[in-house]
């Protein structure tokens, strides 16, 4: 399992309806993408859910590197690059994935929390705690799913969760979910990833 996200920063006065229209036009294009667990089309709007910025920031869980690479190098990603410029694409190695108590419900919001892995800690303990946190989040009322992943280049953990309501029981940046393509969600391995 590989997690991936890029963030497109937009001006404070940007009409976020443009992003909503874009997703309504093209969101379905990944509904049957080979190797994709799921893609959530996310946005943050300045002043909504405490966001200080306007941002388009899709989040992906990939079942295969081939699917991810085909997306990035095969032309689909080029459409975004052509419209907004080439963003930094953050990638994390999967640690855990859990279906939530509301797994059958559509997601309304997503929460992403990024945190550094401190120096001088036992890595196995930190990673096991991330696994427990994914399981805890998935068990909360309204949780659709929860995942944890790590970037070993910058030693950063990411916790990601989807919620069926707009009052999530998770801390972090809150995003509006505009669409979810989930062709391989059922194949994403559950639990600890090693």
């Amino acid at each position: 399992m590989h997690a991936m996200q890029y963030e497109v920063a937009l001006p404070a006065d940007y009409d976020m309806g443009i992003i909503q229209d874009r997703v309504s036009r093209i969101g379905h294009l990944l509904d049957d993408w080979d190797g994709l667990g799921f893609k959530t089309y996310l946005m943050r709007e300045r002043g909504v859910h405490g966001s200080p910025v306007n941002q388009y920031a899709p989040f992906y869980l990939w079942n295969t590197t081939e699917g991810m690479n085909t997306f990035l190098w095969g032309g689909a990603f080029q459409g975004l690059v052509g419209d907004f410029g080439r963003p930094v694409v953050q990638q994390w190695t999967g640690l855990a994935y859990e279906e939530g108590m509301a797994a059958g419900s559509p997601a309304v919001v997503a929460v992403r929390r990024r945190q550094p892995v401190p120096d001088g800690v036992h890595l196995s303990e930190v990673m096991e705690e991330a696994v427990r946190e994914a399981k805890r989040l998935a068990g909360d009322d309204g949780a659709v799913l929860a995942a944890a992943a790590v970037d070993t280049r910058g030693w950063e953990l990411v916790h990601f969760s989807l919620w069926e309501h707009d009052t999530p029981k998770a801390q972090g940046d809150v995003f509006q979910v505009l669409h979810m393509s989930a062709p391989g969600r059922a194949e994403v391995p559950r639990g600890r990833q090693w």
Side-chain angles (χ1 to χ4, degrees):
M1 180 181 88
H2 305 278
M4 183 178 94
Q5 186 176 38
Y6 46 86
E7 300 170 334
V8 177
L10 300 162
D13 61 350
Y14 191 83
D15 178 2
M16 295 305 283
I18 295 169
I19 298 298
Q20 293 169 328
D21 290 345
R22 175 189 180 86
V23 171
S24 68
R25 276 191 338 273
I26 66 167
H28 70 280
L29 296 176
L30 269 68
D31 286 353
D32 60 357
W33 195 273
D34 285 340
L36 176 62
F38 67 81
K39 173 183 180 177
T40 51
Y41 295 77
L42 306 177
M43 78 172 199
R44 292 200 300 166
E45 189 169 1
R46 189 173 184 206
V48 177
H49 298 295
S51 177
V53 298
N54 285 334
Q55 190 178 68
Y56 176 52
F59 189 94
Y60 304 73
L61 270 188
W62 294 96
N63 288 328
T64 68
T65 55
E66 293 84 3
M68 180 175 65
N69 289 342
T70 300
F71 173 78
L72 290 169
W73 322 138
F77 182 63
Q78 192 61 45
L80 178 111
V81 171
D83 290 345
F84 296 105
R86 186 177 64 198
V88 170
V89 178
Q90 179 71 49
Q91 295 183 29
W92 299 271
T93 300
L95 294 172
Y97 175 78
E98 298 288 348
E99 287 286 308
M101 300 292 287
S105 301
V108 174
V109 299
V111 179
R112 182 207 60 205
R113 180 169 49 98
R114 296 163 76 169
Q115 67 183 85
V117 176
D119 289 333
V121 298
H122 287 273
L123 294 175
S124 61
E125 292 173 11
V126 172
M127 301 312 148
E128 289 290 354
E129 177 55 34
V131 170
R132 286 191 294 274
E133 177 66 3
K135 189 172 185 105
R136 186 195 67 74
L137 284 171
D140 281 344
D141 183 45
V144 175
L145 61 82
V150 63
D151 168 11
T152 55
R153 182 176 187 272
W155 290 108
E156 176 187 68
L157 288 171
V158 65
H159 298 275
F160 182 79
S161 53
L162 293 176
W163 301 84
E164 70 173 348
H165 51 70
D166 64 359
T167 54
K169 296 180 180 177
Q171 295 181 0
D173 296 322
V174 178
F175 298 83
Q176 298 170 57
V177 178
L178 304 178
H179 179 73
M180 183 172 179
S181 295
R185 181 174 164 191
E187 286 79 48
V188 176
R190 304 303 191 265
R192 184 176 176 235
Q193 302 289 308
W194 75 96

